[in-house]
Amino acid sequence: MQSLELADFRTRVARNHLDATDLADFRARRDALFATHPQSPIPAGERREFTGLRYFPANPELIVDVPMRTAEGELTIDTGGPDGVVRYTRSAILETPFGELTLWWIAAYGGGLFLPVRDETCGKQTYGGGRYLTDTVKGTHGRGVEWLGGDRVRLDFNYLYNPSCAYDPEWACPLAPPENRLTHRIEAGELTYH
């Protein structure tokens, strides 16, 4: 049953984010999941030849502790797919060394944090629409964004990953809004699939 397969895929994604021992283990687990799971975003016809995703080398300089400040406002993104228009509220502004990023809260049942990022590698080395650092609705928590208490957050850009639509046009994904577009190159995380 497709809905149970999807729930299982999300569980395994969450387990990977929470249980991987380090970045190398995380990447190996992600590759194995994408190669074998029936709900993988890798098209079924390509999984037999799939040898793994491509990544920038790990870069400890792209792990940064940053201040955040509260923010207000709302954003709607038309996914172009069955999810339709998704509503987000601003949770915080993160003051990174590369520019400000807005951390979003998904304003739907259950909610969740969402941090899409578009930088100067997008469309060249990385997916043109941007990558995600976290999307807790999909179980991607515990790695890229870590609350340190108070008004501090640790961002580990080595965990930037492509949205599902980067692998297969059958998927529809919310992309980084203009306020989450950086004018710097973030040479960390996942590269383009093809």
Side-chain angles (χ1 to χ4, degrees):
M1 176 176 262
Q2 193 170 10
S3 58
L4 291 175
E5 286 177 351
L6 183 56
D8 180 68
F9 184 78
R10 288 183 180 171
T11 298
R12 290 172 190 243
V13 166
R15 198 171 290 138
N16 183 26
H17 274 77
L18 295 170
D19 296 345
T21 57
D22 58 19
L23 183 63
D25 183 40
F26 171 84
R27 289 176 173 180
R29 289 174 182 228
R30 184 168 168 82
D31 286 348
L33 180 63
F34 276 43
T36 61
H37 201 282
Q39 284 293 318
S40 169
I42 303 297
E46 296 177 23
R47 285 188 210 139
R48 180 172 288 135
E49 291 83 33
F50 179 74
T51 59
L53 300 169
R54 299 178 325 115
Y55 301 94
F56 283 105
N59 186 345
E61 293 181 14
L62 290 172
I63 303 170
V64 293
D65 295 354
V66 302
M68 65 178 175
R69 65 181 191 276
T70 57
E72 295 181 1
E74 206 171 85
L75 170 74
T76 56
I77 297 176
D78 187 345
T79 65
D83 291 337
V85 175
V86 179
R87 201 167 52 88
Y88 301 85
T89 57
R90 285 181 185 87
S91 183
I93 303 296
L94 309 176
E95 299 171 16
T96 83
F98 318 109
E100 292 184 345
L101 291 171
T102 301
L103 180 62
W104 300 94
W105 182 261
I106 301 167
Y109 177 79
L113 293 173
F114 181 53
L115 185 54
V117 177
R118 190 169 195 279
D119 67 282
E120 288 298 308
T121 67
C122 293
K124 302 166 187 101
Q125 294 170 285
T126 65
Y127 180 62
R131 297 173 289 165
Y132 298 169
L133 198 50
T134 195
D135 182 357
T136 60
V137 165
K138 301 288 174 63
T140 61
H141 43 76
R143 291 285 162 177
V145 177
E146 177 187 356
W147 181 50
L148 301 174
D151 67 347
R152 304 288 295 176
V153 170
R154 176 169 294 138
L155 302 176
D156 187 340
F157 289 99
N158 293 291
Y159 288 93
L160 280 168
Y161 65 94
N162 291 328
S164 298
C165 54
Y167 312 103
D168 186 342
E170 294 297 314
W171 295 81
C173 305
L175 302 178
E179 65 195 84
N180 278 40
R181 295 180 181 171
L182 301 174
T183 58
H184 288 79
R185 294 177 55 78
I186 307 298
E187 294 182 357
E190 196 173 327
L191 293 161
T192 54
Y193 171 55
H194 290 290

